[in-house]
């Protein structure tokens, strides 16, 4: 497989991370979870009592606590400096605030640069909300995944339950709808489909079906 860059964008719980991990594994590419990076900064803001509105202080956190990823038998682990925060960044307080934190241009500039450095050598699968439009506009393959709010809430509820995270279904549904609005209306790098991205509605589709569809897109592009 040619060492291309694959950008996968879409709203919360549209299946981005799951299919990105599978594709990276199948193609022996590097997987970069950009959403986890913004969640990590949000977690650090809560931990260090930094206001979500303090753009400069939040940007400083990205420099003081580098975000890294490591593979383990349990899957990909997320670290802020030397602290493992994989589960901590999925908690309710982080989920509720991550859109506000990620909307700051100074925060996005720092993390986008870090993401671009990770992608320089190619052979990368990166998922997020502005990968195809802002982070990797030159990516050879761009995918935009969507699904109904109801289905995405069901997915998040099931995922949280499996991880031992207790959240009310209606609260999850409300949070997803709110984040959709915030992500698509923010001034800096809003959630929009890149003009050259392939749109895939994953409502009613299994993960295997979504992966197969993306591989078909990649094949049609000649890779």
């Amino acid at each position: 497989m040619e060492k291309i860059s694959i950008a996968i964008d879409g709203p919360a719980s549209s299946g981005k991370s799951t299919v990105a991990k599978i594709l990276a594994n199948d193609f022996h590419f590097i997987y970069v979870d950009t959403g986890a990076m913004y969640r990590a900064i949000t977690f650090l803001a809560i931990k260090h009592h930094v206001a979500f509105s303090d753009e400069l202080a939040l940007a400083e956190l990205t420099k003081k606590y580098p975000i890294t990823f490591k593979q383990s038998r349990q899957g990909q682990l997320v670290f802020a400096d030397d602290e493992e925060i994989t589960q901590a960044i999925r908690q309710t307080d982080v989920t509720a605030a991550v859109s506000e934190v990620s909307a700051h241009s100074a925060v996005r500039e720092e993390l986008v640069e870090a993401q671009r450095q990770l992608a320089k050598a190619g052979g990368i699968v990166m998922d997020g909300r502005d990968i195809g439009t802002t982070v990797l506009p030159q990516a050879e393959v761009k995918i935009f995944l969507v699904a109904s709010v109801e289905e995405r809430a069901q997915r998040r509820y099931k995922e949280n339950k499996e991880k031992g995270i207790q959240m009310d279904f209606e609260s999850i549904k409300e949070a997803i709808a709110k984040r959709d609005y915030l992500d698509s209306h923010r001034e800096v790098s809003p959630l929009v489909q890149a003009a050259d991205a392939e749109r895939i509605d994953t409502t009613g589709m299994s993960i295997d079906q979504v992966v197969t569809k993306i591989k078909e897109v990649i094949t049609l592009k000649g890779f």
Side-chain angles (χ1 to χ4, degrees):
M1 181 70 179
E2 187 178 338
K3 296 295 183 181
I4 62 173
S5 293
I6 302 173
I8 302 179
D9 289 308
S13 296
S14 55
K16 303 184 301 294
S17 297
T18 302
V19 298
K21 290 173 187 176
I22 294 172
L23 290 168
N25 182 68
D26 289 354
F27 294 147
H28 303 290
F29 281 8
I30 295 170
Y31 166 60
V32 177
D33 182 354
T34 63
M37 298 175 80
Y38 289 102
R39 282 178 171 272
I41 299 304
T42 305
F43 165 79
L44 290 169
I46 294 171
K47 179 180 179 180
H48 297 286
H49 308 290
V50 174
F52 301 141
S53 58
D54 193 337
E55 182 173 359
L56 295 181
L58 290 170
E60 193 61 32
L61 289 175
T62 69
K63 301 174 184 177
K64 190 173 182 180
Y65 303 96
I67 311 304
T68 57
F69 302 97
K70 294 181 182 178
Q71 291 298 328
S72 73
R73 291 181 179 178
Q74 293 73 42
Q76 182 168 264
L77 302 178
V78 184
F79 291 80
D81 207 5
D82 292 325
E83 182 182 4
E84 198 259 298
I85 57 172
T86 310
Q87 295 300 323
I89 64 173
R90 301 295 171 182
Q91 298 301 319
T92 309
D93 53 352
V94 173
T95 299
V98 66
S99 285
E100 182 178 354
V101 170
S102 62
H104 292 298
S105 59
V107 174
R108 300 197 73 84
E109 285 171 8
E110 292 292 338
L111 292 185
V112 164
E113 181 56 33
Q115 292 154 13
R116 286 174 176 164
Q117 290 300 317
L118 289 170
K120 265 191 173 181
I124 196 96
V125 182
M126 192 176 294
D127 73 285
R129 287 165 174 74
D130 63 345
I131 309 306
T133 54
T134 301
V135 183
L136 300 178
Q138 79 286 359
E140 290 85 351
V141 175
K142 299 178 184 178
I143 304 294
F144 193 81
L145 299 182
V146 297
S148 68
V149 172
E150 183 78 20
E151 177 146 336
R152 286 186 284 134
Q154 289 283 3
R155 292 173 183 174
R156 180 59 60 83
Y157 179 80
K158 181 180 179 181
E159 179 184 290
N160 286 347
K161 189 174 181 180
E162 290 173 350
K163 293 179 178 179
I165 301 173
Q166 297 300 318
M167 278 189 72
D168 175 68
F169 174 75
E170 289 302 323
S171 296
I172 294 175
K173 187 175 177 179
E174 184 179 330
I176 285 177
K178 180 180 178 181
R179 187 164 186 195
D180 283 354
Y181 180 83
L182 292 173
D183 286 345
S184 59
H185 286 79
R186 68 188 179 210
E187 291 185 12
V188 182
S189 298
L191 170 64
V192 293
Q193 180 179 337
D196 54 347
E198 181 77 18
R199 185 184 184 92
I200 301 174
D201 189 338
T202 68
T203 304
M205 294 178 69
S206 68
I207 292 300
D208 287 344
Q209 289 173 326
V210 177
V211 171
T212 297
K213 177 63 177 177
I214 294 175
K215 287 182 177 180
E216 289 174 357
V217 172
I218 293 171
T219 300
L220 287 172
K221 288 182 175 291
F223 299 109

